[in-house]
Amino acid sequence: MQDSLFSLELFDSGRTRLIAAYRDPDHGRFRRISQLLSVEETTQLVLFSEAIRLQRVVGAPGKPAVEVGASNLSHDPDSSHIRLTRSVAPLNEVQATTVDVETFLRTIEPVTCQVRERAQSSKHGQSLAEHLDGMRLPDSMTAASQSEEITSRLRDIAMILLVEQASRKGSDFGRLLRAKSRQAEAKAEVASVFEQIAQGFAPPAKAA
């Protein structure tokens, strides 16, 4: 299957439009996948891309995947492609194509920057940044040659997820971050989330 022509249109609102143009192998004509993603779906797409980047550096097992609206994206680390499918409800049809993984990662970088900047400048961004600044890799990952890059990406993922959690209406975590007398508790909660994310990307243990 020939890779599609892939692009992302970024809006000031934080939404994006995912576009993939490809040649239908069954009919020989060009087709198009186009989907407007919400802010939340855009964030999920960014986290998917960060998972691919981290997996490459760390060598963690698993196949990253994400569902955004009617579209699904998945990546096998042994492949140089991302599989993209979209369900077309009225026709009971599934469109399917592939995207070159390097093209995808390059294309999503401006979106990633916007999502990161929004998280950092959010109501809880500064407090979370201060707590995350002291986070370090677990012992199972400290020997990695690119530990600084790994730590930075893990902090970015944690920041995005924690801002989302703290911003929910009535969030207990949001109240914890705002309580000056409970910052030790807040830091412990941040550390717990950071460690859970890091462990999710930890390389498999070597056989004795």
Side-chain angles (χ1 to χ4, degrees):
M1 182 183 292
Q2 185 178 1
D3 287 333
S4 63
L5 300 174
F6 180 78
S7 64
L8 287 168
E9 186 178 0
L10 177 61
F11 301 100
D12 291 339
S13 64
R15 304 183 78 183
T16 55
R17 184 178 296 280
L18 178 155
I19 302 171
Y22 65 99
R23 186 183 293 277
D24 188 325
D26 295 326
H27 303 92
R29 57 189 174 90
F30 276 99
R31 301 195 64 186
R32 188 170 181 260
I33 293 174
S34 177
Q35 183 165 343
L36 183 63
L37 306 181
S38 67
V39 174
E40 293 76 15
E41 289 167 340
T42 298
T43 299
Q44 291 303 309
L45 194 64
V46 165
L47 292 172
F48 169 69
S49 72
E50 288 299 285
I52 293 174
R53 292 182 190 278
L54 263 175
Q55 189 178 50
R56 283 177 152 194
V57 178
V58 178
K63 299 180 180 181
V66 67
E67 181 177 344
V68 284
S71 296
N72 287 270
L73 296 93
S74 59
H75 175 61
D76 184 332
D78 294 328
S79 170
S80 61
H81 311 283
I82 288 172
R83 178 170 171 79
L84 168 62
T85 62
R86 182 173 187 268
S87 299
V88 186
L91 304 176
N92 195 26
E93 175 189 8
V94 176
Q95 293 179 265
T97 185
T98 58
V99 179
D100 176 72
V101 67
E102 298 297 340
T103 298
F104 174 79
L105 293 175
R106 185 171 58 251
T107 303
I108 202 171
E109 189 58 37
V111 182
T112 301
C113 289
Q114 188 192 71
V115 169
R116 186 187 301 122
E117 288 167 4
R118 281 178 179 271
Q120 291 170 345
S121 62
S122 68
K123 182 177 181 179
H124 303 287
Q126 183 176 350
S127 176
L128 284 169
E130 291 172 358
H131 291 317
L132 284 166
D133 187 52
M135 298 297 108
R136 297 292 180 263
L137 294 178
D139 292 342
S140 60
M141 301 175 76
T142 52
S145 60
Q146 295 170 283
S147 58
E148 287 188 13
E149 178 186 350
I150 295 169
T151 303
S152 177
R153 292 197 180 280
L154 286 172
R155 286 174 181 166
D156 285 344
I157 291 173
M159 168 71 84
I160 292 168
L161 290 173
L162 288 167
V163 163
E164 194 174 63
Q165 180 181 338
S167 301
R168 292 177 190 143
K169 187 175 180 180
S171 168
D172 291 337
F173 181 58
R175 284 195 291 270
L176 185 63
L177 285 173
R178 292 191 294 272
K180 293 183 178 180
S181 62
R182 301 179 65 191
Q183 288 310 292
E185 291 178 63
K187 186 167 186 175
E189 180 68 20
V190 170
S192 175
V193 171
F194 179 87
E195 185 174 355
Q196 288 177 43
I197 297 169
Q199 291 295 351
F201 288 99
K206 294 182 179 180

